[in-house]
Amino acid sequence: MSTFFFQKDNCLVSVSNAILKHFTGESFHNPHPKLMEILGKNNYDKVILMLFDGMGKSIQEKYLKETDFLLRKKAFEITSVFPPTTVAATTAVISGKYPKETGWLGWRQYFKNHSVVVDMFTNNNSLTTEKVQGPYLSSVYCDYPRIWEILEEKGIKAGCLYPKPVDPSGPSSLEEYFECADALMKKEGPHFYYMYYPDPDHQIHDNGVDHRSVMEAVKKINKGVCKLAKENKDNLIIVLADHSLIDTTFFNITEHEDFFSTLITISSLDSRSAFFHVKEGQETRFKELFNKYYGEHFVLLTKKEVIEQNWFGEGTPHPMFEDFLGDFMATSISKYGFCHEKEMKMIGAHSGSVEEESIINVAVINK
């Protein structure tokens, strides 16, 4: 299998920069040319960006027919960013910047100055699963302006919609989510709203790509967006995902004591692409043992190679970017990933370098 790399001017970052450019005339990176063309055609002033977690091209096209609404409204395809995982990808969308710039690289990140690997969204210690005491480390070290905040500063009505538990006051079901979305779209005057929903990603993690619950989630989303669009024809609605998923088999990094003994701590980043923080003087031994046990399933890169090849995008690096990276990075070109849990319950996963994980359909509705 070959290594798939995101497309710089045809990715999630270019989509959000097109929205920024459309409303403000300014952007952090090159805006997506096709979306700029669509936005400028009728100078739309009511724009909605809906992101359904995990509903990338492979998942959409597995469960929807060509005649179904979202596929009929498909305008173009893009890639995610690297790694194609929710922490990095949704942050790229709502910041307009690459993971390299924001510091939001993956689900688990090693905070060197605290000697702990932390789940970025929850502030849990990734090894013990207990809350890290004090404020969220991700908020302390990796805060950033959201695109709706940038637009609000320019005098444009803007905001976001998140369901529970992300937003404790948010909708508690897909039906309620669409009701809240409808209310926001019906607000008077120019506006922009970002609207996030965690399915079908949640279903795929728990049940795998082929499960009936995934089909039901995708079909309900398709039906709900169709109804919403028909009732809000004055809103230009952009529908996309952050990534796709594949069913994954996991290697436990503690299974080979000789390999695990070369590490300072558990791996960080994510399941299908992982950072390894190696003990001083153990670099050669780590590399030999990695290739022995896992080499045929992953591409192994040094920290230097990761930086020079711009795996995490372009722009000014976050002050802690290089500390987060670790000494080596492995990225999956197969069905395999890594874990450290004794019992890994997750079935579907993402964050690797297989093309299927990264390609996203973008539907543009009411244009």
Side-chain angles (χ1 to χ4, degrees):
M1 244 182 212
S2 59
T3 306
F4 183 78
F5 203 72
F6 72 89
Q7 298 166 1
K8 185 180 73 170
D9 292 331
N10 186 46
C11 69
L12 291 168
V13 171
S14 57
V15 168
S16 47
N17 275 276
I19 292 166
L20 286 173
K21 185 78 171 179
H22 174 69
F23 279 106
T24 72
E26 300 173 351
S27 62
F28 299 117
H29 295 283
N30 291 336
H32 193 280
K34 179 65 175 176
L35 185 54
M36 283 301 296
E37 179 186 332
I38 293 170
L39 288 166
K41 189 174 181 181
N42 289 308
N43 197 28
Y44 296 98
D45 63 1
K46 294 183 177 181
V47 179
I48 306 298
L49 182 61
M50 305 188 81
L51 191 151
F52 294 96
D53 201 322
M55 201 170 73
K57 177 181 178 178
S58 65
I59 301 301
Q60 241 188 33
E61 296 185 359
K62 181 178 180 67
Y63 291 114
L64 296 179
K65 302 187 293 290
E66 288 184 8
T67 53
D68 285 330
F69 186 73
L70 284 174
L71 290 185
R72 282 194 288 113
K73 297 298 181 178
K74 175 181 170 180
F76 51 89
E77 293 179 6
I78 59 169
T79 68
S80 186
V81 292
F82 181 84
T85 188
T86 303
V87 168
T90 59
T91 302
V93 171
I94 64 179
S95 68
K97 293 185 176 183
Y98 287 103
K100 174 183 178 179
E101 300 172 283
T102 64
W104 290 75
L105 308 184
W107 181 256
R108 300 187 299 269
Q109 294 184 208
Y110 180 52
F111 286 82
K112 189 176 181 180
N113 51 341
H114 292 266
S115 300
V116 63
V117 178
V118 172
D119 295 351
M120 292 290 280
F121 278 164
T122 66
N123 208 44
N124 288 348
N125 181 313
S126 303
L127 181 59
T128 66
T129 71
E130 296 174 354
K131 285 283 183 185
V132 175
Q133 294 302 306
Y136 276 37
L137 296 184
S138 56
S139 297
V140 172
Y141 295 106
C142 302
D143 198 16
Y144 61 92
R146 281 67 172 166
I147 56 175
W148 57 85
E149 295 169 343
I150 296 170
L151 295 182
E152 282 184 317
E153 286 182 359
K154 300 283 188 179
I156 299 155
K157 187 187 295 181
C160 60
L161 172 62
Y162 285 100
K164 295 176 181 175
V166 181
D167 178 0
S169 64
S172 56
S173 67
L174 183 60
E175 290 72 24
E176 287 185 15
Y177 167 84
F178 281 123
E179 289 173 7
C180 293
D182 182 65
L184 288 173
M185 290 185 193
K186 284 182 166 53
K187 286 183 177 290
E188 295 294 328
H191 59 233
F192 167 80
Y193 291 105
Y194 169 74
M195 302 178 177
Y196 169 86
Y197 200 78
D199 272 341
D201 181 85
H202 176 74
Q203 298 297 334
I204 300 171
H205 280 313
D206 287 351
N207 302 308
V209 167
D210 296 325
H211 199 269
R212 182 176 179 82
S213 65
V214 181
M215 177 187 70
E216 290 172 351
V218 173
K219 288 185 176 294
K220 284 180 181 177
I221 289 167
N222 178 73
K223 184 178 179 180
V225 174
C226 179
K227 182 175 183 289
L228 196 66
K230 289 177 180 177
E231 294 176 357
N232 295 279
K233 291 186 179 295
D234 58 341
N235 284 255
L236 184 77
I237 305 172
I238 304 162
V239 182
L240 44 61
D242 48 353
H243 54 73
S244 199
L245 297 91
I246 65 173
D247 287 349
T248 299
T249 301
F250 296 91
F251 294 118
N252 190 309
I253 62 165
T254 69
E255 66 182 335
H256 299 291
E257 194 279 331
D258 54 350
F259 172 75
F260 188 61
S261 69
T262 67
L263 303 179
I264 294 170
T265 184
I266 58 172
S267 61
S268 58
L269 190 62
D270 226 298
S271 58
R272 292 179 42 76
S273 289
F275 291 145
F276 293 96
H277 308 270
V278 180
K279 294 175 181 175
E280 188 174 352
Q282 291 288 308
E283 293 84 0
T284 300
R285 180 168 170 76
F286 164 84
K287 192 171 181 179
E288 289 172 351
L289 291 171
F290 182 92
N291 288 328
K292 173 184 175 181
Y293 294 127
Y294 311 116
E296 67 178 298
H297 305 298
F298 299 84
V299 171
L300 185 66
L301 300 115
T302 64
K303 180 178 184 176
K304 186 171 183 283
E305 289 171 327
V306 170
I307 294 169
E308 290 179 347
Q309 295 171 23
N310 290 326
W311 277 79
F312 291 87
E314 300 184 340
T316 303
H318 183 275
M320 296 173 67
F321 173 61
E322 292 195 20
D323 281 347
F324 286 141
L325 292 182
D327 303 289
F328 293 88
M329 182 181 79
T331 183
S332 182
I333 53 170
S334 65
K335 69 175 185 176
Y336 293 96
F338 289 107
C339 72
H340 62 270
E341 297 86 351
K342 288 183 179 179
E343 184 182 0
M344 186 58 164
K345 296 179 180 179
M346 189 163 67
I347 299 173
H350 45 79
S351 76
S353 291
V354 175
E355 181 175 353
E356 186 178 345
E357 296 168 273
S358 190
I359 304 297
I360 298 162
N361 287 338
V362 180
V364 183
I365 306 159
N366 293 339
K367 60 182 179 177

